[in-house]
Amino acid sequence: MFAFIVRRIAQAIIVMLIISFIGFAIKQSFGDPVREITGVSVSAAEREKIRDELGLNDPFMVQFGRFMQGAVKGDIGRSFFYKKSALDVILSKAPATLELVICAALIIVIFSVPLGIYSAIRPKAIFARFVMGGSIVGVSIPVFLTAILMIYVFSVELHWLPSYGRGETVDLGGWRTGFLTADGWLHLIMPSIALSSIMLPLFIRLIRSEMMEVLENDYIKYAWAKGLMPKRVWIVHAFKNTLLPVITVGGVQLGTMIAFTILTETVFQWQGMGFMFIEAVERGDAPLMVAYLMVVGMIFVVVNTVVDVIYGLVNPQVRIAGQK
């Protein structure tokens, strides 16, 4: 097991190096940082002198080495617009995005598990057919369109929910959260539902298909023959054995949800990392864009590595297959 964990960590480090290299290459080819720092009133000779002082005329790999040295220390660039560390800017926006992702994940878990199980044990029921039909529609509709429709119905027409922003927040040890205010929860309802709308149908269908496959196994038939209660057979014996693939896909989709927040946060003007990234693109703030890509890439890598390790602990066959 130790060798399995070491291999996964080594793979994660290699992936992060590749992401860092791509991010740095984008930063180097995106605009002129000297022009962003000095403006247009500085002569070409003075700009060239500043480039030498900043090391921008050094070979590419030398600059990349300095970039990686800074990245190890938490310095991945300085935002042109905010005039401070890009990582500090991202960390200040992270609570909004994490709250949105947490609420969306809770919605997915609360609804996908019972609906997936019911659709598996009663596949011909009218409600199960309705759920499967609705899941196809849910997968087909883009997140931003769902968000716009919700704003039109619940904000413009019905005036039930606020259409943009985070609402009232509370500073909790440096973490600005809307979880502790009623206004914050009202502003969180529509964005979290919109963000979960693309993943919820996928998990319903995944749980249904895995559950139906497990229900055909011999040990389930033996459980029925023993006269066990239906709920015990469905939950303890069947659903428990569908969790491995669900955990694997869930880990990957957690990172994907963070990426999808770009669309959700833009529509709802939610001041999180996704909205910050769009603003950085519009302003040409290359260090902030690269920092965002690296942070999101790191989240993907860490989540997938943790899921692989958990999967290896639960299912020894994964470790054995990895040794071949």
Side-chain angles (χ1 to χ4, degrees):
M1 186 62 200
F2 178 75
F4 175 79
I5 294 175
V6 170
R7 281 198 304 272
R8 288 294 182 266
I9 294 175
Q11 292 171 0
I13 293 173
I14 293 172
V15 172
M16 280 307 303
L17 286 173
I18 295 172
I19 293 173
S20 301
F21 184 83
I22 294 173
F24 183 74
I26 293 172
K27 179 181 177 181
Q28 291 297 98
S29 61
F30 198 97
D32 184 3
V34 175
R35 182 182 294 273
E36 296 290 341
I37 294 171
T38 62
V40 296
S41 60
V42 179
S43 66
E46 290 175 322
R47 285 180 187 167
E48 194 63 25
K49 182 180 178 180
I50 293 174
R51 291 183 67 86
D52 287 331
E53 292 175 353
L54 296 176
L56 298 176
N57 290 329
D58 293 341
F60 178 86
M61 292 308 297
V62 174
Q63 295 185 54
F64 178 67
R66 283 201 302 265
F67 175 77
M68 289 305 301
Q69 287 179 355
V72 171
K73 300 175 184 177
D75 180 12
I76 50 180
R78 185 177 179 84
S79 170
F80 296 148
F81 179 79
Y82 291 96
K83 307 298 182 184
K84 62 180 181 179
S85 170
L87 186 60
D88 290 341
V89 176
I90 291 174
L91 292 177
S92 68
K93 303 291 185 179
T97 297
L98 292 177
E99 287 182 4
L100 189 57
V101 170
I102 289 170
C103 286
L106 287 175
I107 291 173
I108 291 171
V109 172
I110 291 171
F111 287 97
S112 66
V113 172
L115 291 177
I117 292 175
Y118 179 82
S119 299
I121 61 180
R122 298 282 188 269
K124 296 183 179 180
I126 296 177
F127 183 69
R129 294 178 184 272
F130 175 78
V131 170
M132 288 299 100
S135 67
I136 295 175
V137 175
V139 171
S140 305
I141 299 178
V143 172
F144 68 88
L145 183 57
T146 303
I148 293 172
L149 289 174
M150 291 179 66
I151 290 174
Y152 177 74
V153 174
F154 296 106
S155 296
V156 177
E157 293 295 329
L158 299 176
H159 304 287
W160 287 356
L161 297 170
S163 60
Y164 67 92
R166 293 186 66 193
E168 184 182 355
T169 58
V170 176
D171 192 344
L172 193 63
W175 179 294
R176 295 209 64 84
T177 177
F179 284 161
L180 301 179
T181 65
D183 188 53
W185 279 105
L186 287 175
H187 281 79
L188 190 58
I189 291 173
M190 286 202 297
S192 57
I193 293 175
L195 181 60
S196 66
S197 64
I198 192 66
M199 300 297 175
L200 179 59
L202 294 176
F203 276 89
I204 291 174
R205 300 183 74 85
L206 174 65
I207 293 173
R208 175 184 180 272
S209 62
E210 293 293 334
M211 185 90 168
M212 291 182 71
E213 183 178 346
V214 169
L215 287 173
E216 296 298 323
N217 289 334
D218 290 338
Y219 65 86
I220 298 296
K221 297 176 182 177
Y222 179 69
W224 286 118
K226 287 172 62 179
L228 297 179
M229 295 291 293
K231 290 183 180 179
R232 182 172 179 81
V233 175
W234 293 330
I235 303 301
V236 177
H237 294 277
F239 178 66
K240 182 180 178 181
N241 288 283
T242 67
L243 288 178
L244 286 177
V246 173
I247 290 173
T248 303
V249 175
V252 175
Q253 296 302 326
L254 181 62
T256 305
M257 267 207 302
I258 294 175
F260 267 111
T261 58
I262 291 179
L263 299 175
T264 307
E265 291 181 2
T266 301
V267 175
F268 288 101
Q269 299 291 290
W270 189 267
Q271 299 296 318
M273 294 193 302
F275 187 73
M276 176 213 67
F277 177 74
I278 295 298
E279 288 185 325
V281 172
E282 293 174 349
R283 295 166 180 155
D285 196 341
L288 192 54
M289 287 189 287
V290 172
Y292 172 83
L293 293 175
M294 290 185 63
V295 169
V296 172
M298 185 182 69
I299 292 172
F300 265 95
V301 170
V302 170
V303 169
N304 288 339
T305 302
V306 171
V307 169
D308 284 344
V309 171
I310 293 174
Y311 201 87
L313 289 170
V314 175
N315 188 0
Q317 292 179 346
V318 175
R319 303 199 299 268
I320 296 171
Q323 294 173 358
K324 295 181 180 179

